[in-house]
Amino acid sequence: MSGASEEHFVLLNDVKIPKLGLGKSIYEANVMLYMKTLYYHYYDDTCRYLKSFVYYVFIGSSYQQGGQNVNAVVFAIKECGYRMLDTAVHYDTEKVVGHALQAVKDIVPRENLFLTTKLWPDDYGYESTMKSFQESCKIMDVKYVDLYLMHWPDVHVESDNKRRTRAETWQALQDLYKQGYCRAIGVSNFLLPHLQEFLQDCSVIPHVNQIEFNPFQNPQELLNYCRKAGIFIEGYSPLGKGQILQREPVVTIARKLGRTPAQVVIRWSIQNGVTTIPKSNKEKRVLENSQVFDFSISDDDMLLLNNLNENLHVTWNPETVVF
């Protein structure tokens, strides 16, 4: 560990946010595949709610509520210096994070950790948002969160005016922020057209926009807009679900620096001024991903990596949400 617990950016409201976080999601690569018939809820490319019979379920990684997953979070905090944990209602991992917080409370006080969770659009609307937030805090056994995000730009509840529902939802987040239950509030997966309308209905500008960010998905127009507006960018899927790690010039730069391709890509995000949130349940990978603060990438190599942008989404594609 090389100062991971001490590295941070500063949000517009002067809240310090770690440069590196640990993501906990059901959608991780290292999962065990069990074949069985199950009536299972899933989402299509537009994240509209669907129900269907499917014949598999992913078990393991962050979907698992057992000790292995909790141990991975505890290891990340105690041994690797992670101070930011990222979860969400939709990930079904808030309980895991809550157990991990209890396990480390005598070693790392709650105030020294940065906890993020997210509101799923099934719960948009003022009262539903307040209820969902209270439930998240109860599950994690916390009195406040450091960052609370609207997870998706679309609205999944019945509404004759989605813009108004988003505005009412944001009003709830603003009230939670003003009451001290959230140290910062923001959105996730909001693209430029979404923000241009959304900001018209905000009295508190979102402190954060959490988006997919990696060398394949490097949306400069959105980044420039957010920075001009004072909205900080967080990036998820920094490794592009592994697709980037075999590509040039990533491999050559990693070899030159004596680092792994994953470390190079994570460092690239941080040098671009973006907090990054890699996910893994394997202690070896969790440790490897944290060892990115004792080297830097040259300007020339940063340019090479920046030029890899293909506007490729390896997860949800929010371009399908039209306001």
Side-chain angles (χ1 to χ4, degrees):
M1 178 176 62
S2 300
S5 63
E6 302 172 0
E7 296 281 348
H8 62 265
F9 295 111
V10 181
L11 303 180
L12 188 64
N13 64 346
D14 293 328
V15 168
K16 294 180 179 180
I17 183 170
K19 294 181 177 181
L20 179 69
L22 181 70
K24 302 308 299 173
S25 167
I26 61 174
Y27 302 114
E28 293 188 10
N30 60 319
V31 294
M32 299 172 62
L33 182 61
Y34 286 80
M35 303 304 295
K36 63 187 291 186
T37 302
L38 179 73
Y39 191 72
Y40 186 67
H41 303 286
Y42 72 98
Y43 293 81
D44 66 5
D45 287 340
T46 65
C47 281
R48 287 191 295 263
Y49 183 68
L50 299 172
K51 290 183 179 179
S52 179
F53 281 102
V54 296
Y55 297 93
Y56 56 87
V57 58
F58 290 111
I59 301 177
S61 258
S62 298
Y63 189 77
Q64 188 177 5
Q65 298 290 340
Q68 178 185 5
N69 205 10
V70 174
N71 290 342
V73 181
V74 172
F75 175 81
I77 294 171
K78 291 176 59 177
E79 305 299 332
C80 308
Y82 286 85
R83 292 297 179 262
M84 178 178 177
L85 302 178
D86 184 270
T87 184
V89 169
H90 186 56
Y91 301 163
D92 196 24
T93 55
E94 289 180 325
K95 186 177 292 186
V96 167
V97 169
H99 289 325
L101 292 175
Q102 288 299 310
V104 302
K105 65 181 181 180
D106 293 332
I107 302 169
V108 182
R110 167 67 185 91
E111 60 268 22
N112 291 346
L113 295 171
F114 193 99
L115 177 60
T116 300
T117 193
K118 310 178 194 73
L119 173 75
W120 190 240
D122 287 0
D123 294 320
Y124 283 4
Y126 188 90
E127 295 299 334
S128 296
T129 296
M130 289 298 195
K131 182 178 179 181
S132 182
F133 177 80
Q134 292 168 1
E135 182 65 20
S136 291
C137 288
K138 181 179 179 181
I139 290 171
M140 294 185 288
D141 193 20
V142 297
K143 296 180 179 179
Y144 72 96
V145 301
D146 297 278
L147 178 61
Y148 196 42
L149 304 177
M150 292 175 61
H151 204 158
W152 187 250
D154 205 359
V155 173
H156 294 168
V157 297
E158 185 175 346
S159 174
D160 58 1
N161 188 321
K162 290 188 174 183
R163 177 173 181 173
R164 184 174 63 224
T165 300
R166 277 186 290 268
E168 291 170 351
T169 303
W170 186 248
Q171 183 60 56
L173 266 71
Q174 290 179 149
D175 288 349
L176 289 167
Y177 171 63
K178 292 174 182 177
Q179 293 165 13
Y181 293 108
C182 313
R183 297 179 63 227
I185 52 176
V187 295
S188 182
N189 297 297
F190 276 54
L191 303 181
L192 188 55
H194 308 141
L195 288 171
Q196 288 173 331
E197 177 185 287
F198 186 74
L199 293 187
Q200 298 176 34
D201 302 321
C202 298
S203 59
V204 176
I205 299 297
H207 301 116
V208 170
N209 185 14
Q210 186 183 112
I211 61 172
E212 182 181 343
F213 186 77
N214 55 62
F216 286 168
Q217 179 56 228
N218 181 10
Q220 284 302 305
E221 186 178 11
L222 176 60
L223 266 64
N224 292 337
Y225 179 87
C226 286
R227 285 165 177 163
K228 185 176 181 180
I231 302 170
F232 181 76
I233 294 291
E234 277 188 327
Y236 66 82
S237 294
L239 309 182
K241 293 193 178 298
Q243 297 181 33
I244 299 170
L245 304 184
Q246 306 295 325
R247 287 284 296 269
E248 292 293 352
V250 176
V251 175
T252 297
I253 294 171
R255 188 181 302 117
K256 179 171 63 175
L257 292 172
R259 298 289 172 159
T260 66
Q263 289 171 330
V264 167
V265 174
I266 291 169
R267 181 67 198 183
W268 169 85
S269 288
I270 292 170
Q271 286 188 214
N272 272 309
V274 174
T275 283
T276 187
I277 312 168
K279 295 191 290 284
S280 181
N281 238 16
K282 297 180 178 180
E283 290 185 356
K284 178 181 177 181
R285 299 297 182 209
V286 171
L287 178 60
E288 173 189 325
N289 292 344
S290 72
Q291 295 173 330
V292 294
F293 294 105
D294 58 349
F295 75 99
S296 61
I297 302 171
S298 70
D299 291 344
D300 288 343
D301 286 342
M302 285 293 292
L303 182 60
L304 291 174
L305 295 171
N306 287 339
N307 287 337
L308 287 176
N309 182 42
E310 299 176 3
N311 195 33
L312 173 67
H313 288 280
V314 298
T315 59
W316 307 333
N317 184 0
E319 293 176 7
T320 60
V321 181
V322 179
F323 281 12

